Amino acid sequence: MASASTAPSSNIVLYTAQTPNGIKASIALEELGLPYETHGIEISENVQKQPWFLEINPNGRIPALTDTLDGRKIRVFESGAILQYLAERYDKDHRISYPAGTPEYWEVTSWLMWQMGGLGPMQGQANHFKRYAPEKITYGINRYGNETRRLYRVMDEHLAKSPHGYLVGDRVTIADISCWGWVASHTWAGVSINDFPHLEKWLKALLARPGFEKGRHVPSRHGAFDNDGLTEEELERKAEKARGWVQKSMADDAKR
């Protein structure tokens, strides 16, 4: 968390977990130098489905945050909405954004929606069929793995033409932040990054930023890169530990 003596004032409480979506908000907060409190959510115990949390996010997912606006407590949920909220309310110097209405602003918005509607959902399904499904369904594994690779190729080809190495313009933005955690988790989805040199360069360049390095370890250690050195057998044993609670959570959702 940023030092309150050097950061703008806020009353942000971040409710999050160690997932590609969860670390978006903490990375943005660290890049902006905003003070915030962290409330870690144990998703394996379905804390996000408890009544108190549903008052913050009725969809029962992380991340979510609360803040104060005009003297009233507000909630913001969905990771893309959180990134837009932080940029539009707190990024007055446009450290991770561009002024509203500029061509760059709309380009950032386009890539943010691309991630929310494409990269995240498709790689999330790749994760599910590759690691969490109770049976190996080749069609699902191939369908979503190949679509994730296609989306990586879109990013790779775009970054190849970027003179500054970012998705938009001359600075890191919420568009980069929204995609980074997913690309960092490529091995878990069964996708090699070796075929995407510009994407790999982007991934490593952002990792070197203090805001990314600190923000990715909220609310717990970010271990996505640990998977890169594991064999498929080791990854499968690791997935077994999570498969049970993922299936139970799905069954509980089906009863609601």
Side-chain angles (χ1 to χ4, degrees), residues 51 116 135 155 175:
M116 295 295 295
E135 57 186 284
M155 284 187 72

Side-chain angles (χ1 to χ4, degrees), residues 107-115 154-155 158 167-168 175 178:
E107 182 79 1
V108 168
T109 301
S110 296
W111 281 106
L112 177 62
M113 297 305 140
W114 177 87
Q115 186 281 311
V154 170
M155 284 187 72
H158 176 72
L167 284 175
V168 183
S178 71

Side-chain angles (χ1 to χ4, degrees), residues 52-198:
W52 71 267
F53 186 82
L54 294 176
E55 291 296 317
I56 299 170
N57 182 357
N59 194 40
R61 297 290 189 273
I62 60 89
L65 65 75
T66 58
D67 199 359
T68 302
L69 181 63
D70 297 331
R72 297 172 52 194
K73 183 177 180 179
I74 64 167
R75 66 185 186 184
V76 185
F77 54 89
E78 293 295 327
S79 58
I82 290 172
L83 291 177
Q84 288 186 312
Y85 170 75
L86 294 175
E88 294 186 20
R89 182 172 180 189
Y90 290 106
D91 191 19
K92 304 304 183 184
D93 296 329
H94 302 297
R95 299 168 65 179
I96 59 171
S97 65
Y98 287 93
T102 62
E104 292 84 1
Y105 173 89
W106 291 116
E107 182 79 1
V108 168
T109 301
S110 296
W111 281 106
L112 177 62
M113 297 305 140
W114 177 87
Q115 186 281 311
M116 295 295 295
L119 180 62
M122 295 300 103
Q123 188 169 332
Q125 290 298 322
N127 289 346
H128 182 83
F129 282 99
K130 184 72 173 177
R131 306 297 175 196
Y132 302 126
E135 57 186 284
K136 295 296 183 183
I137 302 173
T138 302
Y139 176 84
I141 293 171
N142 291 341
R143 165 73 177 92
Y144 293 108
N146 289 338
E147 179 63 6
T148 300
R149 291 184 189 90
R150 186 190 72 80
L151 293 166
Y152 279 20
R153 177 67 65 192
V154 170
M155 284 187 72
D156 189 71
E157 292 177 351
H158 176 72
L159 288 166
K161 297 179 287 187
S162 171
H164 300 284
Y166 303 116
L167 284 175
V168 183
D170 61 358
R171 71 199 69 172
V172 67
T173 67
I174 58 174
D176 299 283
I177 293 170
S178 71
C179 296
W180 189 86
W182 286 101
V183 178
S185 299
H186 60 91
T187 297
W188 193 245
V191 177
S192 172
I193 203 170
N194 294 338
D195 294 332
F196 309 104
H198 304 285

Side-chain angles (χ1 to χ4, degrees), residues 11-51:
N11 291 308
I12 294 172
V13 179
L14 174 64
Y15 300 83
T16 192
Q18 185 50 247
T19 73
N21 282 334
I23 63 174
K24 294 176 188 177
S26 50
I27 289 174
L29 285 161
E30 294 295 341
E31 284 285 328
L32 289 172
L34 282 170
Y36 63 100
E37 296 180 20
T38 303
H39 190 132
I41 300 296
E42 185 52 69
I43 58 176
S44 65
E45 297 178 6
N46 268 348
V47 172
Q48 71 278 12
K49 306 298 176 60
Q50 294 178 3

